[in-house]
Amino acid sequence: MCAAASSAPSSVPTSNTAHSSPPGTRRTAAVLVTGAGGEMGHGLLKALSDRYDGTGTAVVAMDIRELEPAQRALCRDAFVGDVCDTALLERLLAMYEIMEIYHLAALLSTRGEYSPETAHTVNVTGTLNLLRLAAEQARSHGARVKFVFPSSIAVYGLPDLATKNSVPPLREDQFCEPITMYGCNKLYGEHLGRYYARHYRLLAKDRMDRPIDFRCIRFPGIISADTVPSGGTSDYAPEMVHAAAAGRPYSCFVRPDARIPFMTMPDAIDAIVRLAAADGTRLTRCVYNITSFSPSASEIAELVREFFPASEVSFQPDAARQGIVDSWPAEVDDSAARRDWGYRPEHTLRSAFESYLVPRVMAHYRGA
Ligand code: SER
């Protein structure tokens, strides 16, 4: 079991229906979401439960903590346990025929720098376990298993601020020299996915060709109106918005000129669903950049002050976290995603505030 599994009990199914299929019967087809209780899982479970409602395919969740009741209600089954718990993964396989995996579980960039080896275990060993599970599933039911993997702008590592400020929006294959353990792990996860998708057991006589349909998005920072992130380095943007809505002062841990790409959570969820559903013959890559807007921290603060006039935002940069943000690109080139699978974010920075963030956070914090 991963050291990062917190104090949550391992391998506890929280379903009324949890049982192994009787011998000789067909297992229920399922879509598995790991890290389902996290920020992205929150939105994705709803999208998947809408997508699979009435199809006979079960949505099965896994997280190191119990899901909130509203999230739990969106799944057929929910398992409390971590992605390094191979006994739990075996039990899942006994119960479900996994057709698709959304592997969201990860330990993010800031938290990872406090315990890099734990981050490695969760982010790499966990990903390897899920990829192997997907490949075994593909062999057992004779059809490719779709594996959707969120990667991150953390895979980039620009050498200095002058380079960051002078390069054009980065393509997927440029400056991939991450400075955080999380970035290294995500970059390796991308390579593992490509290996399992195209080359797995290269020399084995009984190998199945291309057992996994691996699809990966490199996400920018994500801002959700419904949840506050924890353990990331792009957290200053959502923290600023949520603090203002809650009436709390906020001290931003990066400089006013710090600039990285962001997007809203609904656009992120839409992108995952869209890539998962895309015609595979049109996909020219395993890994795609996407982005919506690239504001500086001070531009975000200005909008926060405009929409929450009583808000108090100050800047007290933390040199180490600032260093991480400085190593990430100001902008990424997402033309491949737009061309291959029709990626189109709905929100600009202003419309994100006007039509998504402000109404929802105000409703949440003020009951408005
Ligand atoms: N949000 C992530 C982090 O800050 C980056 O993808 O670690």
Side-chain angles (χ1 to χ4, degrees):
M1 174 155 158
C2 294
S6 81
S7 54
S10 153
S11 314
V12 182
T14 58
S15 161
N16 298 330
T17 59
H19 55 78
S20 297
S21 302
T25 61
R26 207 173 150 78
R27 293 168 299 160
T28 307
V31 171
L32 173 65
V33 182
T34 72
E39 274 211 292
M40 194 171 269
H42 210 261
L44 188 63
L45 284 185
K46 173 80 178 86
L48 292 177
S49 86
D50 290 347
R51 159 85 179 74
Y52 287 103
D53 190 31
T55 64
T57 297
V59 176
V60 174
M62 204 175 144
D63 199 276
I64 55 168
R65 290 182 200 86
E66 293 264 2
L67 297 186
E68 292 166 13
Q71 295 300 106
R72 175 65 191 84
L74 298 169
C75 316
R76 174 86 60 91
D77 232 347
F79 291 82
V80 178
D82 81 63
V83 286
C84 297
D85 183 347
T86 48
L88 171 60
L89 297 178
E90 291 294 328
R91 289 209 2 256
L92 259 167
L93 286 195
M95 291 162 59
Y96 292 102
E97 192 168 276
I98 309 283
M99 318 301 287
E100 228 168 271
I101 297 175
Y102 295 81
H103 176 41
L104 311 182
L107 207 144
L108 298 183
S109 59
T110 288
R111 190 161 297 152
E113 290 314 300
Y114 289 105
S115 29
E117 292 76 17
T118 303
H120 185 277
T121 305
V122 175
N123 296 341
V124 174
T125 307
T127 299
L128 192 72
N129 287 344
L130 269 297
L131 284 165
R132 190 171 62 189
L133 179 148
E136 282 171 10
Q137 283 292 277
R139 277 159 66 91
S140 91
H141 52 69
R144 294 174 90 193
V145 169
K146 197 171 282 179
F147 195 101
V148 182
F149 182 64
S151 183
S152 161
I153 49 165
V155 303
Y156 291 110
L158 288 149
D160 50 54
L161 211 44
T163 309
K164 169 167 172 157
N165 291 335
S166 63
V167 291
L170 295 193
R171 293 191 311 273
E172 285 84 353
D173 53 355
Q174 298 177 295
F175 292 100
C176 289
E177 291 182 39
I179 69 165
T180 62
M181 179 56 102
Y182 172 70
C184 293
N185 298 161
K186 283 293 183 186
L187 187 59
Y188 182 50
E190 294 177 2
H191 285 298
L192 282 176
R194 182 179 50 77
Y195 166 75
Y196 271 80
R198 297 183 183 165
H199 312 292
Y200 183 49
R201 302 175 77 238
L202 203 54
L203 301 181
K205 295 272 182 294
D206 62 344
R207 75 185 287 265
M208 175 183 176
D209 191 35
R210 296 179 172 251
I212 296 179
D213 180 357
F214 180 77
R215 303 180 180 200
C216 170
I217 294 179
R218 271 190 203 156
F219 283 101
I222 301 177
I223 313 177
S224 170
D226 301 325
T227 52
V228 189
S230 68
T233 314
S234 59
D235 294 4
Y236 60 90
E239 283 175 0
M240 222 185 269
V241 175
H242 283 264
R248 289 192 307 268
Y250 183 69
S251 169
C252 181
F253 58 80
V254 294
R255 290 187 316 265
D257 67 301
R259 189 184 298 277
I260 54 170
F262 281 98
M263 69 192 310
T264 64
M265 186 60 83
D267 276 336
I269 301 301
D270 184 65
I272 293 192
V273 170
R274 194 180 281 259
L275 176 60
D279 174 358
T281 63
R282 295 184 59 90
L283 302 182
T284 58
R285 332 178 37 91
C286 286
V287 176
Y288 288 92
N289 279 343
I290 62 171
T291 182
S292 286
F293 36 77
S294 279
S296 65
S298 67
E299 285 163 354
I300 301 170
E302 277 161 30
L303 277 165
V304 166
R305 291 187 189 110
E306 179 183 327
F307 286 97
F308 302 94
S311 61
E312 293 172 50
V313 180
S314 58
F315 288 87
Q316 283 182 304
D318 173 280
R321 293 181 96 185
Q322 179 68 60
I324 294 175
V325 169
D326 286 345
S327 78
W328 293 350
E331 290 182 75
V332 295
D333 178 342
D334 63 6
S335 53
R338 290 174 185 263
R339 180 194 63 221
D340 288 0
W341 47 276
Y343 170 66
R344 289 274 176 287
E346 182 188 334
H347 292 120
T348 61
L349 178 61
R350 174 161 287 278
S351 81
F353 270 80
E354 273 172 2
S355 62
Y356 167 61
L357 291 171
V358 174
R360 280 177 73 152
V361 289
M362 282 184 53
H364 181 72
Y365 289 98
R366 301 182 187 172

